[in-house]
Amino acid sequence: MLSVREEKQPPSNYSIPVSSKISNINGLKWLLILVPLAYIIILLIYPMYGLFKLSIMDNDGFTFQYIHHIFSNPVYLKVLRVTLKISILVTVISLLISYPIAYLLIRVQSKIWKNIILALALIPFWISLLVRTFSWIVVLQNQGVINQILIGLGIIEELLKLLYSTAGVVIGMVHVLYPFMFFSLFSVMKGIDQRLYQAAEGLGARPLMAFWQINLPLSLPGILAGSLLVFVMSLGFFITPALLGGANEMMISMVIENYINTTLNWHLASALSLILFIVTVIILALAFFLLRNNAVLKDVI
């Protein structure tokens, strides 16, 4: 009978990864939580508290006079309406522009065309915000390219007032903010299984029907995320409205800047900032409560 000799196996050279060793250090997980939390408190929450406190506190103590002054003055209410109107327009137009581009990018088969479309979508990120805004001043002015082309084609007889108007502000802000909408949509759309389209078309669905029943419902998280991102950024946008807007298109950020740097009325600036913050929080909360039971959007909200 042959006996099998059990040989001692040499000790394994396998070693625990350094990341696993680090993760086992006592208290490290709490440290990884406390460091970002301290960062947020020191650099975000504390400065906001110091600013917002000025809206309800003065040398005499607690007061509501600054907030009451804003809501009792129709000028501030008009500024708030203009801010909301422009923000909604920018969000809707950015969605209408970005959605077809993102859809085309995931449907096109050629890698060359994919790279070209992606590069064109990235161009606004490669150019300075001020350069883009000043370029729109050249394009939108009375003797600018748009007016000259429309007059040359005989479409209009009088020059359009595009600069220092709502139209100019919306055009400039869409140019700046639409990439945030586009990449929110694209990041969601590229995760949609393309075999679903093949299955739908194989079952007799036309391309438009397949789009309505597959792509649109599954892209709702990207639509919501991009819309909230663009809308919230639009509420506090400053540079483009300040350069392209007129006296009748003043957004709330322009009024806050004027009170801080020109009139030095920090209390009214703080009250306007607090109102803008509350409006933003209310909008985000409404989006959460209205859509929290949607199965497709559960990962977004």
Side-chain angles (χ1 to χ4, degrees), residues 48-68 265-271 274:
M48 289 175 62
Y49 166 75
L51 177 63
F52 292 158
K53 184 176 68 174
L54 296 175
S55 63
I56 56 175
M57 299 289 292
D58 59 10
N59 295 330
D60 298 327
F62 185 82
T63 179
F64 269 117
Q65 64 172 332
Y66 304 108
I67 296 178
H68 178 267
N265 193 335
W266 281 70
H267 292 285
L268 277 178
S270 174
L274 179 61

Side-chain angles (χ1 to χ4, degrees), residues 4 59 113-114 120 156 189 192 221 225 231 244 295:
V4 179
N59 295 330
W113 279 107
K114 280 181 178 289
L120 292 175
I156 60 173
M189 287 187 185
I192 300 176
F231 184 76
L244 299 181

Side-chain angles (χ1 to χ4, degrees), residues 173-207:
M173 289 180 62
V174 167
H175 185 217
V176 174
L177 296 177
Y178 94 89
F180 296 96
M181 178 73 75
F182 168 78
F183 286 106
S184 297
L185 292 169
F186 175 66
S187 63
V188 173
M189 287 187 185
K190 72 177 182 180
I192 300 176
D193 193 345
Q194 298 300 303
R195 292 174 297 182
L196 295 174
Y197 298 101
Q198 299 175 3
E201 294 172 358
L203 293 174
R206 296 182 178 180

Side-chain angles (χ1 to χ4, degrees), residues 131-155:
V131 173
R132 282 178 282 171
T133 304
F134 282 122
S135 299
W136 278 113
I137 294 177
V138 176
V139 173
L140 297 175
Q141 60 184 337
N142 291 339
Q143 302 301 322
V145 176
I146 295 179
N147 274 316
Q148 293 303 314
I149 291 177
L150 293 177
I151 290 178
L153 295 175
I155 298 176

